[in-house]
Amino acid sequence: MSMIIRADLHIHGRYSMATSKKMVPEVIAAQAQLKGLHLVGTGDAFHKGWLKLIEDSTEEVADGVYSIKEDKRLETDPDLPSTNQKPLLILTGEVEDVKRVHHLLILPSLEAAHQIRGKLRGNLESDGRPKVRMSGREIQEIAHENGCLMGPSHAFTPWTSLYKEYDSIYECYSYKPDFLELGLSADSDMADRIEELNNIPFLTNSDAHSPWPHRLGREFNEIEINRIDYPSLEDAIKDLKIKSNYGFDPRMGKYYLTACTKCYQLIPVKKALEMKMKCPCGGTIKKGVDYRIEELATWDQPHHPPHRPPYIHILPLAEVISLVHGKGVTTVFVQKIWRKMLQLFGDEISVLINAPLEELQELDPKMAPVIRSFRDGTLKMQPGGGGRYGKLVLEPEKAEANTQSPSRSTETNTLDEYFK
Ligand SMILES: [Zn+2]
Ligand SMILES: [Zn+2]
């Protein structure tokens, strides 16, 4: 008997740089439940303080998977559909190698985490995502010696990915990685233009740095699995049992197009090269994922292998509500509407994809037409680049007004209220 679970296998805890202090196991689990996830990566499994938090607040309920202890659990929402079950955690961690390439590891046990800590060369306590003085090959060796799954994180981004450094995964690794994480600015249509990736499963994970619903689970995988434990996840990934990838339209990602990393001006690659990748504002221009894949591509069109699952484009629902109503995404106003929609329709995916438009219209007349245009593919987007996310554009003239610097989030102000 197998089942299909929703898993987000890459997040960061409170000890990682630029990460919300609210990223602690019990909050992550409670939020994952609201998002309808069954399995979430712990992130940061090589950080001593983070491991201690995991050991203190969770208990192992099956081989390599952990549940929040009864007395540590947060009340999520009594009005939510009871089908949203308590999610389990699995140990994951990200490591930056000596070439500034990021690798994602999925670990079989706490013991493996402690073992690997003893072998990584670098300061493991300064950041939840440690920088180590080791090559991709050396990290791959250690990962496999300790029974982990490993692959490149956000494989095409311009600062810290495998393909910003190498033209082939085999220049970085000794042998085939267990998976490749696409990152927010790519999808499988883009990655399947590269021949060497055809026999590798793709993962779509959120890389969330805060527990808000437009971050945690903003990308996830549907995986066919025999039971929720590490050996079954390992089998599922190795046997290519990923059934769907859910993720952003790549245009919504931060690095989709070539752009300046300081003023975020989008600049055509040819012009950027003429400008020697220097923007008149003084900033550095970075190649977008779109262009990087163009450079690496074997084929003009995607060649999907038979095992490749569908890639389903989704949007962070809370962000859509925020835009439609002109209120901050972390405000009580937006979070209330978001929860109301979950109560009525079960989860975000149902709201975006299946919920009857008449019912949506009744609930929120401003949201219904936007969801309709999302479904028929006519929703406009201003592509992201240079480190700034893409944006939904509700009216054509708004595209111009949106070129201001991104609004800062105000997470810490209302989070307590939100979680009570
Ligand atoms: Zn990373
Ligand atoms: Zn600039």
Side-chain angles (χ1 to χ4, degrees), residues 10 12 94 102 129 153-154 160 207:
H10 182 179
H12 289 282
E94 192 182 29
H102 286 188
R129 174 182 53 219
S153 318
H154 42 78
T160 53
D207 202 350

Side-chain angles (χ1 to χ4, degrees), residues 326-385:
K327 306 252 197 236
V329 65
T330 57
T331 56
V332 173
F333 179 88
V334 168
Q335 298 295 323
K336 259 194 183 154
I337 297 180
W338 180 73
R339 285 182 171 227
K340 186 89 203 155
M341 288 189 160
L342 296 200
Q343 282 164 21
L344 285 175
F345 303 111
D347 59 46
E348 267 189 54
I349 305 306
S350 307
V351 178
L352 287 169
I353 295 170
N354 313 317
L357 284 169
E358 316 80 71
E359 287 176 39
L360 278 167
Q361 179 73 30
E362 218 165 282
L363 176 72
D364 188 335
K366 283 180 154 179
M367 279 292 285
V370 178
I371 297 215
R372 183 191 300 116
S373 56
F374 165 71
R375 288 180 190 175
D376 64 25
T378 55
L379 198 57
K380 291 201 169 46
M381 287 168 208
Q382 178 193 294

Side-chain angles (χ1 to χ4, degrees), residues 7 20 29 36 60 69 103 127 130 135 140 165 184 207 228 235 286 365 390 404:
S20 160
E60 189 171 12
K69 285 179 186 162
H103 308 275
D127 190 340
S135 67
Q140 190 181 42
E165 191 64 29
L184 304 178
D207 202 350
I228 307 184
D235 287 348
K286 282 283 179 189
Q404 301 304 314

Side-chain angles (χ1 to χ4, degrees), residues 88-100:
L88 299 174
L89 299 170
I90 191 158
L91 293 160
T92 62
E94 192 182 29
V95 175
E96 180 174 309
D97 75 17
V98 72
K99 298 277 193 192
R100 295 200 68 200

